[in-house]
Amino acid sequence: MAQPLDFQTVFRNVPDLYLLLDADFVIADVSAAYLRATMTEREAIVGRNIFDVFPDNPDDSDADGVRNLRTSLERVRRTKAPDAMAVQKYDIPRPDSEGGGFEERYWSPVNTPILDECGDLLCIVHRVEDVTGYMRLLQEGQIKSAKTDALLSEKEQIEAEIIRRAHEVQDANRRLDAANIELENLYRAARDAELAKSRFLAVASHDMRQPLHALTLYLAALARRVDNEEARDILAKMERATESMITMFGTLLDLARIQAGVVNPEIAPFALQDVFECIAAEHTQGELDVQPTTITLYSDAALIERALRNLVTNAIKHGGGKARLSAQAVGDRAEIVVADNGPGIAKEDQARIFEDFVRIERRGASGGLGLGLSIVKGISAALDVPVEVESEPGRGARFILRPRLSAVAAASERANDDVASLNGAPALVVDDDATAREAVAAALADMGAEVRTAGSEAEAEAHLAEGFAPRLLVMDLRIDNELRGIDIARRLCARLAKPPRVVVVTADTAADTLAMLRNSRFAWLIKPVNPRDLSRMAAVQLAAGR
């Protein structure tokens, strides 16, 4: 039976010049031919970094062997692909027994990665050919002897051209490496800028939503207490101004999130009629004609609603004061149309209107930021939902969204818009922002709840210790500037024999935060919270907890 091969012995005795390097360029093994060519001994170089064993010749100011070889090895380590170098002048140290100093040498190196079965780098094979004699011949310039002329055969001239071209390739590789480094630096800078932008969006979302949240609830509470007709008119104007401010803030935040690439669609079946009814509820003065639909879509309901709301608002503002909203199934997609009878849009403007801050000025048109259609375009791209405009001057405009239809029906989630009565149900509101806390408490109290408030977990626990047993816990997600609300809610629930129903309220809208809320299995609302939404949510949760 044949004995298994001793591969180390085979490697060490191959006739060519080989070094085996680990990923840090430390010499792991070496062929005998390489030792002879470099005048080294195995024990003196194995276990040492190749650049410690073979430094540049200090007497050669133009020496670039270390730099070029390191660049090649690093490229192999990074790309896990072989790298052939141009002929390289790389002098080697001469042993003291040979007089010391450095001896001029030229090499033709090839560096090849060895990968494991998972594709990870095991080692690098560094193979060289000593071409010193040949290079010296080429460097002699004017060759005078006939003998030398005979040596310079056509083959050798071709080889000389190949060497020249190889040097050109090496120079190009150096420039390419420098360009790649610059690109990597630019990429890191861009990535850092995007991270900073995302952090700003998270902070802006939370800090700016908080006062809007409280303001919305306080205005609703005030409206329930005002009887004077003149005061009611002033209050209605305040509410419209607040709604406009909330819309503009939401618009700017939506655009920033789309541009930052932090919009993560939640794709699921939903009834389009629910979206239509939500939009219709915002336009109750006859300015919007909504055609009922039984279509079920497979998309992100919130983003589709935002896109349609923007299209409807745009149609009413710029399309003569009225708009129509309808839908029909066409193949495997829905065709949702927002139409108006306005002055229309010229062909040359139809692509431009989807750009940021672009407004086509028309007489009598109300103001805006010029971002609504830009956001529609961003949502269209995020959802892979085509958006089109059909229009001619004087003939109105039709904006069309084409989302995918769902293969399964979705149950309607539409609830009654009336403010529900909570019939004395005990409720606990936990929020470290005093203004927001009192606003939510006032809204719940107006709905008939018996409300207590807490600014911290300790204060909430104190209420429970006094025997207060809430049926409803309204919990802010961010406590002491950390996303601790869900954990606090769970600990408070664990202290009661009959845990309350939990509604988490948050101004944080980052994708990971929304994922955390979904996984909590608690109900949740995004600030600023509309009093009707709070009322419906509270009523639904209390009914479920009976």
Side-chain angles (χ1 to χ4, degrees), residues 431-471:
D431 193 328
D432 62 352
D433 184 294
T435 303
R437 180 172 69 244
E438 296 307 322
V440 173
L444 291 174
D446 283 351
M447 297 169 199
E450 176 195 345
V451 186
R452 292 195 186 185
T453 65
S456 66
E457 183 176 6
E459 290 181 18
E461 289 177 342
H463 287 303
L464 302 188
E466 293 172 0
F468 184 68
R471 288 179 54 204

Side-chain angles (χ1 to χ4, degrees), residues 459-481:
E459 290 181 18
E461 289 177 342
H463 287 303
L464 302 188
E466 293 172 0
F468 184 68
R471 288 179 54 204
L472 180 68
L473 172 60
V474 180
M475 181 82 225
D476 192 72
L477 180 62
R478 186 175 289 273
I479 300 293
D480 295 332
N481 208 34

Side-chain angles (χ1 to χ4, degrees), residues 75-95:
R75 186 183 298 118
V76 171
R77 183 168 60 186
R78 183 176 66 252
T79 65
K80 299 177 183 177
D83 188 72
M85 299 176 61
V87 171
Q88 175 66 54
K89 182 179 183 295
Y90 200 137
D91 300 344
I92 61 170
R94 190 184 294 111

Side-chain angles (χ1 to χ4, degrees), residues 6-20 26-50 53-54 95:
D6 180 350
F7 287 104
Q8 184 180 59
T9 300
V10 172
F11 172 77
R12 291 181 174 182
N13 289 281
V14 293
D16 294 320
L17 284 60
Y18 286 99
L19 271 184
L20 204 59
V26 173
I27 299 172
D29 211 339
V30 56
S31 69
Y34 189 97
L35 293 172
R36 290 191 296 271
T38 57
M39 300 180 288
T40 53
E41 296 181 359
R42 191 183 312 278
E43 295 76 13
I45 67 171
V46 170
R48 296 175 61 194
N49 189 283
I50 186 173
V53 177
F54 301 108

Side-chain angles (χ1 to χ4, degrees), residues 499-517:
R501 303 294 295 185
V502 176
V503 177
V504 179
V505 181
T506 181
D508 293 273
T509 57
D512 54 348
T513 301
L514 298 180
M516 178 174 63
L517 287 166

Side-chain angles (χ1 to χ4, degrees), residues 474-494:
V474 180
M475 181 82 225
D476 192 72
L477 180 62
R478 186 175 289 273
I479 300 293
D480 295 332
N481 208 34
E482 295 182 6
L483 302 180
R484 302 172 51 215
I486 290 174
D487 291 336
I488 292 173
R490 286 172 176 154
R491 288 194 290 269
L492 294 175
C493 288

